[in-house]
Amino acid sequence: MTKNKLIPDLRRDAALIFQAGVKAADPYLAVKQSLHNVANQLQISLENSRDKRRSGGWQKIHLIAFGKAACTMAKAAQEVIPAHLLAVPGIAVCNYENVTAIEYIDVVGAGHPLPDMAGFAAAQRIAEIAQQAQEGELVLVLVSGGGSALIPYPAHGISLADKIATSDLLLASGASINAMNCVRKHLSRLKGGGLAKMAAPADVHALVLSDVLGDELSAIASGPTVADATTFSDAIKVFTDKQLWDKLPVAVQNHLQQGEQGAVSETAKAGDDIFKHAAYTLIGSNAISVQAIMHSADTLNYQRHLYSDQLDGEAKEVAKDLLQYAHALLTKGMDKPLAVLAGGETTVTMQGKGLGGRNQEMALAFAIAAEKNPLAADWVFLSAGTDGRDGPTDAAGGIVDAQSITRMHDAGIKTEQYLANNDAYHVLQKSKDLLITGATGTNVADLQILLIQPNTKLSQSGDHNV
């Protein structure tokens, strides 16, 4: 059959727009713009103000980085910090895929999304560095998405196995990132301001690359250097609402109950003296990347529409809602191609045993929905994580088009069954609709890009790899 030449063009544009969003979250450049070597002293740009800087004339600087962008951020910081001030070695903890050697920095690969013993050992080392810091010194903390899982340091009486089992339950339940972080903070020695407590009376400054909608600082990597407004009661409610309380390890149940009763200290709260010497700079976020994909779509001559800059909800349901939005736009008419754009972080409630991630599930669900309620136009839909990894897979997400379902059916795939089994990866793999970018070195949640080209005749296409 005749190939439709427009769809490969749309797929190319979707990939280019996505890359623009990833580039806007480049942690190396963001750190370089925030740190300054002035007369052999370190100065730091303060939150939301490039013309104001923090400079403590620090005698020593202890460098701690954790998250998926830890290596990139640590490399940038190490290049700026005056050599005579840098306490050696610093530490950077990232997921295994992003490990890169850095001079004067101990780089540790650790488990994500489920914590492991390597991360536990790294968390202990981070605690040691913070506790060694003295008054008149700075603990510079570089925070990026994924930090919660990468540096597990369970509270007293809780084993790492208990914490892993708890994380596994939350991931499978479809709990929101805020709910997961609330729990993590109340099961950890580092999170919920714990790291700031350990570093006192030294100064603490965090450079933060946000992967959390709304950029709530206490939720990013579970807020190790900032105050926490949640309580032990809130953490218990996460499990009772999901009907998971009885499935928790006994040690976790006991710890949360003791905390609720006041027998275990709460996380650090606003107004605590430790925060008089703590500050932060937000250096990158999903919102910044959404603005970048909007600009990229403009440059490629698409009529852009922002669907949401705080996308959340069940991935397959969000896909249906997005399709309906696209239908509504088409009924209004269009004189040039449309770009419907979004950013955020959806969830998946695991009901099957398949392989995939929230972005792959959204892409598959969109293709299925578009088969049932077709758009009167050619289209391509991309949903992917800016870190280059969607769930426990090698794919960043999925990129489907108007003929993806045909390719799936030709491969003998019963799409609804695979979706029900949460097995989007194997469907998209067979239809050549996986988006594989490799590790990007950053993490600011997810981006969604729907491109629509009107008034074209649909026909079966060939190979659509990106």
Side-chain angles (χ1 to χ4, degrees), residues 68-118:
K68 292 182 180 179
C71 286
T72 310
M73 295 174 76
K75 184 176 188 298
Q78 179 265 332
E79 292 174 357
V80 176
I81 296 170
H84 72 284
L85 295 180
L86 182 62
V88 178
I91 186 169
V93 188
C94 66
N95 53 316
Y96 292 108
E97 296 89 341
N98 286 353
V99 168
T100 305
I102 307 169
E103 194 173 12
Y104 307 123
I105 306 292
D106 285 340
V107 176
V108 180
H112 185 279
L114 294 179
D116 63 9
M117 288 302 297

mmCIF file of all heavy atoms in Angstrom, residues 68-118:
data_model
loop_
_atom_site.group_PDB
_atom_site.id
_atom_site.type_symbol
_atom_site.label_atom_id
_atom_site.label_comp_id
_atom_site.label_asym_id
_atom_site.label_seq_id
_atom_site.Cartn_x
_atom_site.Cartn_y
_atom_site.Cartn_z
ATOM 1 N N LYS A 68 18.720 11.518 39.780
ATOM 2 C CA LYS A 68 19.110 11.024 38.456
ATOM 3 C C LYS A 68 20.071 11.974 37.738
ATOM 4 O O LYS A 68 20.804 11.559 36.849
ATOM 5 C CB LYS A 68 17.862 10.790 37.608
ATOM 6 C CG LYS A 68 16.996 9.640 38.110
ATOM 7 C CD LYS A 68 15.792 9.407 37.227
ATOM 8 C CE LYS A 68 14.954 8.258 37.747
ATOM 9 N NZ LYS A 68 13.750 8.011 36.921
ATOM 10 N N ALA A 69 20.079 13.230 38.138
ATOM 11 C CA ALA A 69 20.988 14.200 37.521
ATOM 12 C C ALA A 69 22.196 14.490 38.400
ATOM 13 O O ALA A 69 22.925 15.457 38.165
ATOM 14 C CB ALA A 69 20.235 15.496 37.219
ATOM 15 N N ALA A 70 22.442 13.662 39.404
ATOM 16 C CA ALA A 70 23.483 13.951 40.393
ATOM 17 C C ALA A 70 24.863 14.106 39.766
ATOM 18 O O ALA A 70 25.620 15.024 40.121
ATOM 19 C CB ALA A 70 23.507 12.843 41.448
ATOM 20 N N CYS A 71 25.221 13.230 38.840
ATOM 21 C CA CYS A 71 26.563 13.292 38.257
ATOM 22 C C CYS A 71 26.761 14.573 37.452
ATOM 23 O O CYS A 71 27.795 15.247 37.572
ATOM 24 C CB CYS A 71 26.816 12.070 37.382
ATOM 25 S SG CYS A 71 27.103 10.558 38.322
ATOM 26 N N THR A 72 25.801 14.908 36.638
ATOM 27 C CA THR A 72 25.907 16.113 35.820
ATOM 28 C C THR A 72 25.982 17.361 36.686
ATOM 29 O O THR A 72 26.787 18.273 36.431
ATOM 30 C CB THR A 72 24.699 16.214 34.868
ATOM 31 O OG1 THR A 72 24.537 14.980 34.180
ATOM 32 C CG2 THR A 72 24.887 17.319 33.863
ATOM 33 N N MET A 73 25.161 17.402 37.733
ATOM 34 C CA MET A 73 25.146 18.563 38.619
ATOM 35 C C MET A 73 26.442 18.659 39.418
ATOM 36 O O MET A 73 27.007 19.746 39.587
ATOM 37 C CB MET A 73 23.937 18.480 39.550
ATOM 38 C CG MET A 73 22.599 18.576 38.830
ATOM 39 S SD MET A 73 21.164 18.298 39.909
ATOM 40 C CE MET A 73 21.080 19.866 40.787
ATOM 41 N N ALA A 74 26.925 17.511 39.889
ATOM 42 C CA ALA A 74 28.158 17.510 40.680
ATOM 43 C C ALA A 74 29.355 17.938 39.838
ATOM 44 O O ALA A 74 30.242 18.659 40.314
ATOM 45 C CB ALA A 74 28.393 16.126 41.278
ATOM 46 N N LYS A 75 29.386 17.495 38.596
ATOM 47 C CA LYS A 75 30.489 17.881 37.705
ATOM 48 C C LYS A 75 30.507 19.396 37.510
ATOM 49 O O LYS A 75 31.573 20.042 37.572
ATOM 50 C CB LYS A 75 30.359 17.180 36.359
ATOM 51 C CG LYS A 75 31.522 17.457 35.398
ATOM 52 C CD LYS A 75 31.363 16.648 34.108
ATOM 53 C CE LYS A 75 32.595 16.764 33.223
ATOM 54 N NZ LYS A 75 32.856 18.134 32.782
ATOM 55 N N ALA A 76 29.347 19.979 37.287
ATOM 56 C CA ALA A 76 29.267 21.426 37.098
ATOM 57 C C ALA A 76 29.703 22.172 38.357
ATOM 58 O O ALA A 76 30.460 23.147 38.283
ATOM 59 C CB ALA A 76 27.848 21.822 36.712
ATOM 60 N N ALA A 77 29.248 21.700 39.510
ATOM 61 C CA ALA A 77 29.599 22.362 40.765
ATOM 62 C C ALA A 77 31.089 22.249 41.056
ATOM 63 O O ALA A 77 31.732 23.220 41.470
ATOM 64 C CB ALA A 77 28.794 21.759 41.916
ATOM 65 N N GLN A 78 31.640 21.064 40.823
ATOM 66 C CA GLN A 78 33.065 20.837 41.085
ATOM 67 C C GLN A 78 33.937 21.755 40.236
ATOM 68 O O GLN A 78 35.005 22.186 40.652
ATOM 69 C CB GLN A 78 33.390 19.359 40.826
ATOM 70 C CG GLN A 78 34.837 18.964 41.041
ATOM 71 C CD GLN A 78 35.625 19.003 39.738
ATOM 72 O OE1 GLN A 78 35.075 18.820 38.662
ATOM 73 N NE2 GLN A 78 36.913 19.245 39.848
ATOM 74 N N GLU A 79 33.455 22.092 39.048
ATOM 75 C CA GLU A 79 34.214 22.972 38.157
ATOM 76 C C GLU A 79 34.177 24.435 38.598
ATOM 77 O O GLU A 79 35.047 25.225 38.207
ATOM 78 C CB GLU A 79 33.682 22.849 36.732
ATOM 79 C CG GLU A 79 33.974 21.488 36.102
ATOM 80 C CD GLU A 79 33.327 21.316 34.735
ATOM 81 O OE1 GLU A 79 32.593 22.238 34.295
ATOM 82 O OE2 GLU A 79 33.523 20.261 34.118
ATOM 83 N N VAL A 80 33.187 24.803 39.429
ATOM 84 C CA VAL A 80 33.038 26.196 39.850
ATOM 85 C C VAL A 80 33.610 26.434 41.249
ATOM 86 O O VAL A 80 34.228 27.471 41.501
ATOM 87 C CB VAL A 80 31.554 26.626 39.822
ATOM 88 C CG1 VAL A 80 31.395 28.053 40.353
ATOM 89 C CG2 VAL A 80 30.988 26.515 38.411
ATOM 90 N N ILE A 81 33.402 25.501 42.157
ATOM 91 C CA ILE A 81 33.829 25.691 43.550
ATOM 92 C C ILE A 81 35.347 25.868 43.606
ATOM 93 O O ILE A 81 36.092 25.058 43.055
ATOM 94 C CB ILE A 81 33.416 24.481 44.414
ATOM 95 C CG1 ILE A 81 31.892 24.364 44.463
ATOM 96 C CG2 ILE A 81 33.969 24.619 45.834
ATOM 97 C CD1 ILE A 81 31.406 23.075 45.096
ATOM 98 N N PRO A 82 35.836 26.913 44.260
ATOM 99 C CA PRO A 82 37.279 27.089 44.407
ATOM 100 C C PRO A 82 37.917 25.839 45.009
ATOM 101 O O PRO A 82 37.442 25.323 46.022
ATOM 102 C CB PRO A 82 37.391 28.290 45.349
ATOM 103 C CG PRO A 82 36.121 29.060 45.124
ATOM 104 C CD PRO A 82 35.072 28.026 44.873
ATOM 105 N N ALA A 83 38.984 25.347 44.389
ATOM 106 C CA ALA A 83 39.577 24.064 44.775
ATOM 107 C C ALA A 83 39.993 24.018 46.232
ATOM 108 O O ALA A 83 39.855 22.980 46.906
ATOM 109 C CB ALA A 83 40.773 23.765 43.872
ATOM 110 N N HIS A 84 40.481 25.134 46.776
ATOM 111 C CA HIS A 84 40.962 25.123 48.157
ATOM 112 C C HIS A 84 39.829 25.031 49.176
ATOM 113 O O HIS A 84 40.065 24.758 50.356
ATOM 114 C CB HIS A 84 41.804 26.381 48.433
ATOM 115 C CG HIS A 84 41.010 27.645 48.522
ATOM 116 N ND1 HIS A 84 40.508 28.285 47.415
ATOM 117 C CD2 HIS A 84 40.624 28.389 49.600
ATOM 118 C CE1 HIS A 84 39.854 29.376 47.795
ATOM 119 N NE2 HIS A 84 39.913 29.458 49.117
ATOM 120 N N LEU A 85 38.574 25.243 48.719
ATOM 121 C CA LEU A 85 37.429 25.169 49.618
ATOM 122 C C LEU A 85 36.735 23.806 49.595
ATOM 123 O O LEU A 85 36.032 23.455 50.546
ATOM 124 C CB LEU A 85 36.403 26.248 49.253
ATOM 125 C CG LEU A 85 36.822 27.710 49.439
ATOM 126 C CD1 LEU A 85 35.688 28.630 49.019
ATOM 127 C CD2 LEU A 85 37.224 27.976 50.884
ATOM 128 N N LEU A 86 36.898 23.051 48.522
ATOM 129 C CA LEU A 86 36.140 21.807 48.343
ATOM 130 C C LEU A 86 36.663 20.704 49.268
ATOM 131 O O LEU A 86 37.833 20.312 49.199
ATOM 132 C CB LEU A 86 36.221 21.346 46.890
ATOM 133 C CG LEU A 86 35.435 20.075 46.531
ATOM 134 C CD1 LEU A 86 33.940 20.292 46.772
ATOM 135 C CD2 LEU A 86 35.687 19.695 45.074
ATOM 136 N N ALA A 87 35.784 20.205 50.141
ATOM 137 C CA ALA A 87 36.120 19.064 50.991
ATOM 138 C C ALA A 87 36.127 17.816 50.120
ATOM 139 O O ALA A 87 35.151 17.530 49.425
ATOM 140 C CB ALA A 87 35.106 18.931 52.115
ATOM 141 N N VAL A 88 37.233 17.082 50.146
ATOM 142 C CA VAL A 88 37.407 15.941 49.250
ATOM 143 C C VAL A 88 37.400 14.644 50.057
ATOM 144 O O VAL A 88 38.046 14.548 51.095
ATOM 145 C CB VAL A 88 38.738 16.083 48.476
ATOM 146 C CG1 VAL A 88 38.955 14.884 47.574
ATOM 147 C CG2 VAL A 88 38.749 17.372 47.664
ATOM 148 N N PRO A 89 36.689 13.599 49.562
ATOM 149 C CA PRO A 89 35.863 13.645 48.357
ATOM 150 C C PRO A 89 34.423 14.053 48.676
ATOM 151 O O PRO A 89 33.936 13.822 49.779
ATOM 152 C CB PRO A 89 35.911 12.193 47.876
ATOM 153 C CG PRO A 89 35.975 11.400 49.142
ATOM 154 C CD PRO A 89 36.797 12.223 50.106
ATOM 155 N N GLY A 90 33.758 14.639 47.676
ATOM 156 C CA GLY A 90 32.327 14.814 47.768
ATOM 157 C C GLY A 90 31.656 13.513 47.365
ATOM 158 O O GLY A 90 32.323 12.509 47.094
ATOM 159 N N ILE A 91 30.334 13.502 47.304
ATOM 160 C CA ILE A 91 29.622 12.287 46.917
ATOM 161 C C ILE A 91 28.470 12.626 45.984
ATOM 162 O O ILE A 91 27.793 13.649 46.149
ATOM 163 C CB ILE A 91 29.101 11.522 48.156
ATOM 164 C CG1 ILE A 91 28.493 10.170 47.736
ATOM 165 C CG2 ILE A 91 28.111 12.362 48.959
ATOM 166 C CD1 ILE A 91 28.192 9.248 48.905
ATOM 167 N N ALA A 92 28.279 11.776 44.965
ATOM 168 C CA ALA A 92 27.148 11.892 44.039
ATOM 169 C C ALA A 92 26.509 10.514 43.908
ATOM 170 O O ALA A 92 27.195 9.539 43.602
ATOM 171 C CB ALA A 92 27.607 12.391 42.678
ATOM 172 N N VAL A 93 25.210 10.437 44.151
ATOM 173 C CA VAL A 93 24.475 9.174 44.098
ATOM 174 C C VAL A 93 23.414 9.270 43.015
ATOM 175 O O VAL A 93 22.534 10.142 43.073
ATOM 176 C CB VAL A 93 23.807 8.846 45.448
ATOM 177 C CG1 VAL A 93 23.224 7.435 45.420
ATOM 178 C CG2 VAL A 93 24.780 9.017 46.598
ATOM 179 N N CYS A 94 23.506 8.409 42.014
ATOM 180 C CA CYS A 94 22.545 8.443 40.908
ATOM 181 C C CYS A 94 22.142 7.021 40.536
ATOM 182 O O CYS A 94 22.688 6.044 41.058
ATOM 183 C CB CYS A 94 23.121 9.176 39.700
ATOM 184 S SG CYS A 94 24.520 8.349 38.940
ATOM 185 N N ASN A 95 21.180 6.903 39.638
ATOM 186 C CA ASN A 95 20.794 5.582 39.143
ATOM 187 C C ASN A 95 21.945 5.005 38.312
ATOM 188 O O ASN A 95 22.786 5.735 37.791
ATOM 189 C CB ASN A 95 19.507 5.666 38.324
ATOM 190 C CG ASN A 95 19.564 6.689 37.218
ATOM 191 O OD1 ASN A 95 20.040 7.804 37.419
ATOM 192 N ND2 ASN A 95 19.097 6.317 36.044
ATOM 193 N N TYR A 96 21.989 3.685 38.214
ATOM 194 C CA TYR A 96 23.127 3.012 37.586
ATOM 195 C C TYR A 96 23.384 3.500 36.158
ATOM 196 O O TYR A 96 24.536 3.624 35.729
ATOM 197 C CB TYR A 96 22.898 1.496 37.585
ATOM 198 C CG TYR A 96 22.932 0.893 38.972
ATOM 199 C CD1 TYR A 96 21.763 0.446 39.583
ATOM 200 C CD2 TYR A 96 24.119 0.779 39.678
ATOM 201 C CE1 TYR A 96 21.782 -0.106 40.854
ATOM 202 C CE2 TYR A 96 24.151 0.230 40.957
ATOM 203 C CZ TYR A 96 22.983 -0.215 41.542
ATOM 204 O OH TYR A 96 23.012 -0.748 42.802
ATOM 205 N N GLU A 97 22.326 3.803 35.421
ATOM 206 C CA GLU A 97 22.481 4.196 34.015
ATOM 207 C C GLU A 97 23.225 5.520 33.854
ATOM 208 O O GLU A 97 23.807 5.779 32.799
ATOM 209 C CB GLU A 97 21.099 4.320 33.340
ATOM 210 C CG GLU A 97 20.320 3.025 33.252
ATOM 211 C CD GLU A 97 19.455 2.767 34.475
ATOM 212 O OE1 GLU A 97 19.711 3.390 35.543
ATOM 213 O OE2 GLU A 97 18.526 1.961 34.368
ATOM 214 N N ASN A 98 23.194 6.361 34.871
ATOM 215 C CA ASN A 98 23.767 7.702 34.745
ATOM 216 C C ASN A 98 25.128 7.857 35.407
ATOM 217 O O ASN A 98 25.645 8.975 35.501
ATOM 218 C CB ASN A 98 22.796 8.740 35.340
ATOM 219 C CG ASN A 98 21.588 8.980 34.456
ATOM 220 O OD1 ASN A 98 21.515 8.478 33.340
ATOM 221 N ND2 ASN A 98 20.623 9.719 34.957
ATOM 222 N N VAL A 99 25.723 6.761 35.868
ATOM 223 C CA VAL A 99 27.006 6.841 36.561
ATOM 224 C C VAL A 99 28.096 7.352 35.616
ATOM 225 O O VAL A 99 28.281 6.832 34.515
ATOM 226 C CB VAL A 99 27.411 5.471 37.132
ATOM 227 C CG1 VAL A 99 28.874 5.473 37.584
ATOM 228 C CG2 VAL A 99 26.500 5.097 38.296
ATOM 229 N N THR A 100 28.808 8.395 36.056
ATOM 230 C CA THR A 100 29.918 8.982 35.306
ATOM 231 C C THR A 100 31.010 9.397 36.292
ATOM 232 O O THR A 100 30.718 10.010 37.315
ATOM 233 C CB THR A 100 29.467 10.236 34.529
ATOM 234 O OG1 THR A 100 28.360 9.902 33.692
ATOM 235 C CG2 THR A 100 30.593 10.784 33.675
ATOM 236 N N ALA A 101 32.244 9.056 35.989
ATOM 237 C CA ALA A 101 33.352 9.413 36.881
ATOM 238 C C ALA A 101 33.537 10.924 36.934
ATOM 239 O O ALA A 101 33.447 11.610 35.914
ATOM 240 C CB ALA A 101 34.633 8.743 36.406
ATOM 241 N N ILE A 102 33.780 11.458 38.149
ATOM 242 C CA ILE A 102 33.987 12.891 38.346
ATOM 243 C C ILE A 102 35.177 13.082 39.284
ATOM 244 O O ILE A 102 35.245 12.451 40.344
ATOM 245 C CB ILE A 102 32.747 13.568 38.961
ATOM 246 C CG1 ILE A 102 31.488 13.258 38.155
ATOM 247 C CG2 ILE A 102 32.946 15.092 39.057
ATOM 248 C CD1 ILE A 102 30.208 13.676 38.848
ATOM 249 N N GLU A 103 36.082 13.949 38.909
ATOM 250 C CA GLU A 103 37.266 14.208 39.722
ATOM 251 C C GLU A 103 36.870 14.765 41.088
ATOM 252 O O GLU A 103 36.010 15.645 41.189
ATOM 253 C CB GLU A 103 38.180 15.202 39.000
ATOM 254 C CG GLU A 103 39.579 15.298 39.587
ATOM 255 C CD GLU A 103 40.500 16.159 38.742
ATOM 256 O OE1 GLU A 103 39.988 16.852 37.836
ATOM 257 O OE2 GLU A 103 41.723 16.119 38.980
ATOM 258 N N TYR A 104 37.478 14.221 42.139
ATOM 259 C CA TYR A 104 37.276 14.636 43.527
ATOM 260 C C TYR A 104 35.903 14.265 44.087
ATOM 261 O O TYR A 104 35.539 14.701 45.173
ATOM 262 C CB TYR A 104 37.486 16.150 43.704
ATOM 263 C CG TYR A 104 38.791 16.659 43.169
ATOM 264 C CD1 TYR A 104 38.826 17.676 42.215
ATOM 265 C CD2 TYR A 104 40.002 16.118 43.604
ATOM 266 C CE1 TYR A 104 40.028 18.143 41.718
ATOM 267 C CE2 TYR A 104 41.217 16.579 43.108
ATOM 268 C CZ TYR A 104 41.226 17.586 42.158
ATOM 269 O OH TYR A 104 42.411 18.041 41.667
ATOM 270 N N ILE A 105 35.130 13.457 43.348
ATOM 271 C CA ILE A 105 33.791 13.073 43.790
ATOM 272 C C ILE A 105 33.685 11.546 43.794
ATOM 273 O O ILE A 105 34.038 10.896 42.815
ATOM 274 C CB ILE A 105 32.686 13.642 42.861
ATOM 275 C CG1 ILE A 105 32.831 15.160 42.699
ATOM 276 C CG2 ILE A 105 31.303 13.269 43.377
ATOM 277 C CD1 ILE A 105 32.561 15.960 43.934
ATOM 278 N N ASP A 106 33.192 10.976 44.890
ATOM 279 C CA ASP A 106 32.860 9.556 44.914
ATOM 280 C C ASP A 106 31.485 9.385 44.269
ATOM 281 O O ASP A 106 30.482 9.900 44.787
ATOM 282 C CB ASP A 106 32.815 9.026 46.354
ATOM 283 C CG ASP A 106 34.195 8.846 46.956
ATOM 284 O OD1 ASP A 106 35.163 8.757 46.182
ATOM 285 O OD2 ASP A 106 34.295 8.796 48.198
ATOM 286 N N VAL A 107 31.432 8.697 43.136
ATOM 287 C CA VAL A 107 30.171 8.483 42.427
ATOM 288 C C VAL A 107 29.647 7.091 42.767
ATOM 289 O O VAL A 107 30.365 6.098 42.630
ATOM 290 C CB VAL A 107 30.356 8.637 40.909
ATOM 291 C CG1 VAL A 107 29.051 8.325 40.183
ATOM 292 C CG2 VAL A 107 30.825 10.049 40.576
ATOM 293 N N VAL A 108 28.400 7.022 43.195
ATOM 294 C CA VAL A 108 27.787 5.763 43.609
ATOM 295 C C VAL A 108 26.546 5.505 42.775
ATOM 296 O O VAL A 108 25.645 6.358 42.705
ATOM 297 C CB VAL A 108 27.403 5.796 45.104
ATOM 298 C CG1 VAL A 108 26.771 4.467 45.516
ATOM 299 C CG2 VAL A 108 28.617 6.103 45.969
ATOM 300 N N GLY A 109 26.466 4.354 42.135
ATOM 301 C CA GLY A 109 25.253 3.930 41.458
ATOM 302 C C GLY A 109 24.361 3.207 42.445
ATOM 303 O O GLY A 109 24.840 2.425 43.268
ATOM 304 N N ALA A 110 23.053 3.474 42.382
ATOM 305 C CA ALA A 110 22.117 2.874 43.340
ATOM 306 C C ALA A 110 20.797 2.545 42.654
ATOM 307 O O ALA A 110 20.541 2.958 41.521
ATOM 308 C CB ALA A 110 21.901 3.816 44.516
ATOM 309 N N GLY A 111 19.948 1.802 43.363
ATOM 310 C CA GLY A 111 18.699 1.310 42.793
ATOM 311 C C GLY A 111 17.617 2.366 42.681
ATOM 312 O O GLY A 111 17.434 3.197 43.570
ATOM 313 N N HIS A 112 16.884 2.298 41.580
ATOM 314 C CA HIS A 112 15.727 3.157 41.339
ATOM 315 C C HIS A 112 14.821 2.453 40.326
ATOM 316 O O HIS A 112 15.311 1.922 39.339
ATOM 317 C CB HIS A 112 16.153 4.517 40.778
ATOM 318 C CG HIS A 112 15.002 5.469 40.623
ATOM 319 N ND1 HIS A 112 14.154 5.427 39.544
ATOM 320 C CD2 HIS A 112 14.544 6.462 41.427
ATOM 321 C CE1 HIS A 112 13.239 6.355 39.671
ATOM 322 N NE2 HIS A 112 13.453 7.003 40.803
ATOM 323 N N PRO A 113 13.480 2.372 40.533
ATOM 324 C CA PRO A 113 12.704 3.058 41.567
ATOM 325 C C PRO A 113 12.691 2.368 42.935
ATOM 326 O O PRO A 113 12.227 2.959 43.905
ATOM 327 C CB PRO A 113 11.289 3.081 40.969
ATOM 328 C CG PRO A 113 11.235 1.842 40.137
ATOM 329 C CD PRO A 113 12.613 1.699 39.557
ATOM 330 N N LEU A 114 13.147 1.113 43.010
ATOM 331 C CA LEU A 114 13.211 0.458 44.306
ATOM 332 C C LEU A 114 14.611 0.600 44.887
ATOM 333 O O LEU A 114 15.600 0.356 44.195
ATOM 334 C CB LEU A 114 12.831 -1.023 44.182
ATOM 335 C CG LEU A 114 11.378 -1.305 43.785
ATOM 336 C CD1 LEU A 114 11.140 -2.808 43.682
ATOM 337 C CD2 LEU A 114 10.417 -0.693 44.790
ATOM 338 N N PRO A 115 14.729 0.997 46.155
ATOM 339 C CA PRO A 115 16.043 1.191 46.775
ATOM 340 C C PRO A 115 16.802 -0.113 46.936
ATOM 341 O O PRO A 115 16.208 -1.195 46.933
ATOM 342 C CB PRO A 115 15.695 1.805 48.140
ATOM 343 C CG PRO A 115 14.276 1.410 48.402
ATOM 344 C CD PRO A 115 13.617 1.307 47.066
ATOM 345 N N ASP A 116 18.130 -0.012 47.063
ATOM 346 C CA ASP A 116 18.950 -1.209 47.263
ATOM 347 C C ASP A 116 20.060 -0.916 48.272
ATOM 348 O O ASP A 116 20.173 0.189 48.803
ATOM 349 C CB ASP A 116 19.510 -1.727 45.937
ATOM 350 C CG ASP A 116 20.455 -0.746 45.245
ATOM 351 O OD1 ASP A 116 20.825 0.278 45.864
ATOM 352 O OD2 ASP A 116 20.823 -1.003 44.077
ATOM 353 N N MET A 117 20.899 -1.937 48.531
ATOM 354 C CA MET A 117 21.938 -1.809 49.544
ATOM 355 C C MET A 117 22.995 -0.776 49.163
ATOM 356 O O MET A 117 23.577 -0.128 50.032
ATOM 357 C CB MET A 117 22.596 -3.168 49.783
ATOM 358 C CG MET A 117 21.716 -4.163 50.525
ATOM 359 S SD MET A 117 21.177 -3.563 52.155
ATOM 360 C CE MET A 117 22.762 -3.410 53.003
ATOM 361 N N ALA A 118 23.250 -0.617 47.871
ATOM 362 C CA ALA A 118 24.224 0.396 47.445
ATOM 363 C C ALA A 118 23.738 1.791 47.826
ATOM 364 O O ALA A 118 24.517 2.633 48.298
ATOM 365 C CB ALA A 118 24.459 0.304 45.941
#
